[in-house]
Amino acid sequence: DAMVIQNPRYQVTQFGKPVTLSCSQTLNHNVMYWYQQKSSQAPKLLFHYYDKDFNNEADTPDNFQSRRPNTSFCFLDIRSPGLGDAAMYLCATSRGAGAPQETQYFGPGTRLLVL
Amino acid sequence: QKEVEQDPGPLSVPEGAIVSLNCTYSNSAFQYFMWYRQYSRKGPELLMYTYSSGNKEDGRFTAQVDKSSKYISLFIRDSQPSDSATYLCATKTSYDKVIFGPGTSLSVIP
């Protein structure tokens, strides 16, 4: 019944050790988003894919990369995690990008801890 | 000034109370307004969606938008312990990204 799935739910990594977070969807939506959410803060959009087209937010650090090998899967790669990258990472999907009535469906998130 | 601001709370109310959650926004170009509910350790889920000014009701929930004052409200009637969550207001222009507020934490005490 799950529509947007994120794995793992909790990830512990070491300072500077690359880490990959995974998102998959069963909705066949065109758009997949990655957000970073720190405690008591708004989700912050990192980037999104419209189909295979990658759209990076201007203030997303180069340390964050993404891959979308097919419609169903999207990955967030953090090349050299710093302590400041500890956060909840949310994946979301929508049918279209930006159309007013488009609802974003969120996954449960992956909580990343950097030691 | 942040684009969307909310009082983070926490807000604690007794079961059955009417809850009022509020947001302000800065960009007059925003036309679409949303409320998301986020339970602990879960992703946000869309509760209400409104366009332009006015009220929209869905069961115990009423969303209100006043574009003249750039003020967004969510009212919860007959609040239940299951309503305990963080409520994020969000807004967008026609074809742009969603801007979220930081959320208000709500606890409904039985």
Side-chain angles (χ1 to χ4, degrees):
Chain A
D1 194 37
M3 294 184 290
V4 183
I5 303 159
Q6 290 189 246
N7 286 305
R9 294 294 310 279
Y10 299 91
Q11 176 74 56
V12 181
T13 191
Q14 292 177 332
F15 183 94
K17 185 174 180 181
V19 66
T20 294
L21 309 182
S22 168
C23 178
S24 64
Q25 53 131 340
T26 60
L27 297 162
N28 203 33
H29 280 174
N30 294 316
V31 191
M32 295 187 77
Y33 308 80
W34 279 105
Y35 288 86
Q36 179 193 64
Q37 187 180 26
K38 296 188 176 180
S39 181
S40 302
Q41 294 185 23
K44 178 181 179 298
L45 183 63
L46 296 173
F47 25 59
H48 74 274
Y49 274 95
Y50 194 126
D51 290 331
K52 295 182 180 179
D53 292 334
F54 178 70
N55 298 271
N56 198 29
E57 292 299 302
D59 57 354
T60 297
D62 293 339
N63 199 26
F64 292 86
Q65 304 285 323
S66 186
R67 296 169 284 134
R68 189 178 185 187
N70 54 52
T71 300
S72 300
F73 284 87
C74 196
F75 300 99
L76 170 63
D77 301 308
I78 308 177
R79 292 192 297 186
S80 182
L83 298 179
D85 296 328
M88 172 80 88
Y89 289 88
L90 295 163
C91 174
T93 73
S94 66
R95 281 188 305 170
Q101 66 275 24
E102 291 294 351
T103 299
Q104 289 190 20
Y105 294 86
F106 283 84
T110 294
R111 186 167 293 281
L112 178 68
L113 180 63
V114 182
L115 301 179
Chain B
Q1 182 187 11
K2 293 182 181 177
E3 290 189 278
V4 181
E5 302 205 50
Q6 280 183 267
D7 184 340
L11 179 63
S12 184
V13 301
E15 183 175 354
I18 296 174
V19 176
S20 172
L21 303 169
N22 306 296
C23 277
T24 58
Y25 63 95
S26 58
N27 187 348
S28 58
F30 290 142
Q31 296 177 290
Y32 303 90
F33 305 94
M34 294 144 281
W35 283 96
Y36 283 81
R37 178 174 61 196
Q38 185 173 21
Y39 289 114
S40 180
R41 299 184 179 84
K42 297 282 180 69
E45 57 176 331
L46 182 66
L47 256 186
M48 303 279 288
Y49 163 82
T50 56
Y51 169 69
S52 196
S53 286
N55 292 359
K56 184 174 182 179
E57 190 173 319
D58 184 1
R60 295 185 295 111
F61 298 89
T62 299
Q64 192 173 76
V65 177
D66 182 347
K67 291 190 73 178
S68 63
S69 58
K70 299 191 184 72
Y71 202 79
I72 314 164
S73 299
L74 178 71
F75 299 97
I76 308 175
R77 290 185 300 281
D78 188 24
S79 56
Q80 303 295 310
S82 58
D83 295 328
S84 299
T86 295
Y87 290 81
L88 303 156
C89 65
T91 182
K92 67 192 306 292
T93 57
S94 293
Y95 282 90
D96 204 349
K97 65 184 179 183
V98 175
I99 306 295
F100 287 90
T104 298
S105 175
L106 172 68
S107 292
V108 180
I109 311 300

